[in-house]
């Protein structure tokens, strides 16, 4: 599903955020990307999401080399990808429904179908019946669930998340990670950057460790 071959990223004026990594993630895997701040976790997610391009090497998603995906095809490419951010990136002046509906509306999905799918997504994240609420009236854990509902509403086969529990206390963090686990059971491939070592060790999925732009550990999913 994701294959990096000597993928490197150098930002203008900086060192190498990623120093040529080789990584393969198969469909259906649940992978944590871990390592200290500045290790290159966000950069790798950005290469996968085509927010950034590799300066060397290849990133291949579902058999497509991202180098060959031109700018105009990025929106279509991103339909196959759900993204969750630490700070939710919700529209504060729009109710929960509109926030979750956004990816479908952009895609031109009919309004009855939007309603059906938004309700299904909110149901999956445990927020059924909260469509009309404003995001800021929700707790931070609930806001992150809205962010997850928005990421999954288009049923992407791949979900990536950058420090999705970075603003949450340990108990809520565990709940959010368990929620990701449920999507993984439904067949979604997950790649989640987190430096919360205690939590991700407890969850026992595959852990790929980055340090200074290099992979320094990969337990391949074993314990
Ligand atoms: P992490 O997510 O593991 O904290 P990042 O991928 O954000 O690490 O950063 C890796 C390195 O790349 C850091 O040294 C960071 O300062 C640098 N970096 C990240 N984004 C940019 C950018 N847009 N411009 C310049 N340097 C950047």
């Amino acid at each position: 599903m994701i294959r990096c071959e000597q993928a490197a990223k150098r930002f203008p004026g900086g060192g190498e955020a990623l120093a040529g990594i080789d990584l393969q993630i198969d469909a259906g895997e649940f992978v944590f990307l871990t390592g200290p701040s500045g290790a290159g976790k966000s950069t790798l997610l950005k290469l996968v999401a085509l927010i950034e391009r590799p300066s060397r090497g290849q990133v291949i998603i579902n058999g497509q080399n991202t180098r060959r995906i031109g700018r105009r095809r990025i929106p279509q490419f991103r339909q196959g990808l759900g993204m969750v951010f630490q700070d939710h990136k919700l529209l504060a002046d729009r109710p929960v429904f509109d926030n979750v509906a956004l990816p479908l509306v952009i895609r031109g999905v009919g309004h009855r179908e939007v309603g059906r799918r938004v309700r299904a997504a909110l149901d999956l994240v445990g927020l059924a019946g909260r469509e009309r609420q404003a995001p800021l009236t929700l707790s931070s854990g609930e806001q992150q669930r809205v962010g997850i509902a928005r990421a999954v509403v288009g049923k992407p086969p791949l979900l990536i998340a950058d420090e999705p529990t970075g603003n949450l206390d340990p108990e809520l963090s565990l709940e959010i990670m368990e929620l990701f686990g449920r999507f993984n059971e439904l067949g979604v491939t997950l790649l989640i950057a987190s430096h919360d070592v205690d939590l991700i060790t407890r969850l026992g999925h595959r852990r790929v460790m980055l340090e200074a732009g290099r992979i320094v550990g990969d337990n391949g999913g074993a314990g």
Side-chain angles (χ1 to χ4, degrees):
M1 172 139 267
I2 300 177
R3 199 162 85 239
C4 299
E5 294 173 354
Q6 287 298 304
K9 178 69 188 175
R10 180 186 295 276
F11 290 104
E16 272 195 326
L18 281 180
I21 63 159
D22 292 309
L23 177 66
Q24 164 130 359
I25 294 173
D26 294 331
E29 279 199 271
F30 187 139
V31 180
F32 283 117
L33 205 53
T34 169
S37 178
K41 305 183 294 295
S42 299
T43 302
L44 178 53
L45 294 181
K46 285 176 183 165
L47 294 185
V48 170
L50 273 179
I51 295 168
E52 297 284 353
R53 303 278 188 166
S55 32
R56 279 190 291 124
Q58 327 290 336
V59 178
I60 295 150
I61 315 280
N62 274 329
Q64 282 192 94
N65 189 329
T66 58
R67 282 190 181 283
R68 303 214 181 91
I69 301 173
R71 238 181 223 236
R72 276 179 307 142
R73 278 181 51 219
I74 290 179
Q76 186 198 348
F77 166 82
R78 291 219 183 106
Q79 288 185 12
L81 182 80
M83 287 186 259
V84 177
F85 307 94
Q86 172 170 354
D87 59 0
H88 328 308
K89 298 203 193 295
L90 299 177
L91 303 172
D93 58 346
R94 297 298 183 95
V96 165
F97 183 96
D98 294 17
N99 271 279
V100 177
L102 198 61
L104 301 179
V105 172
I106 290 171
R107 230 180 270 182
V109 175
H111 115 155
R112 197 177 274 222
E113 176 72 2
V114 169
R116 199 182 61 73
R117 283 167 70 173
V118 168
R119 282 188 293 276
L122 286 173
D123 200 23
L124 274 169
V125 301
L127 289 176
R130 312 289 282 275
E131 292 94 11
R132 309 277 25 125
Q133 256 181 278
L136 293 176
T137 65
L138 300 173
S139 71
S140 52
E142 288 167 341
Q143 288 180 35
Q144 190 53 294
R145 286 168 186 273
V146 176
I148 295 170
R150 182 185 53 193
V152 300
V153 76
K155 300 199 176 172
L158 172 63
L159 201 54
I160 63 175
D162 197 357
E163 300 287 354
T165 62
N167 289 326
L168 304 178
D169 64 39
E171 203 174 315
L172 282 176
S173 297
L174 179 62
E175 281 180 23
I176 292 291
M177 290 303 188
E178 286 174 346
L179 182 57
F180 282 121
R182 287 211 284 283
F183 286 108
N184 182 240
E185 283 160 17
L186 294 172
V188 178
T189 307
L190 276 121
L191 179 59
I192 302 181
S194 171
H195 61 247
D196 193 343
V197 177
D198 287 346
L199 177 62
I200 65 187
T201 306
R202 238 169 98 187
L203 291 167
H205 298 291
R206 178 175 171 194
R207 296 191 300 280
V208 173
M209 274 152 279
L210 281 177
E211 225 174 271
R214 294 174 198 282
I215 293 177
V216 295
D218 182 349
N219 71 347

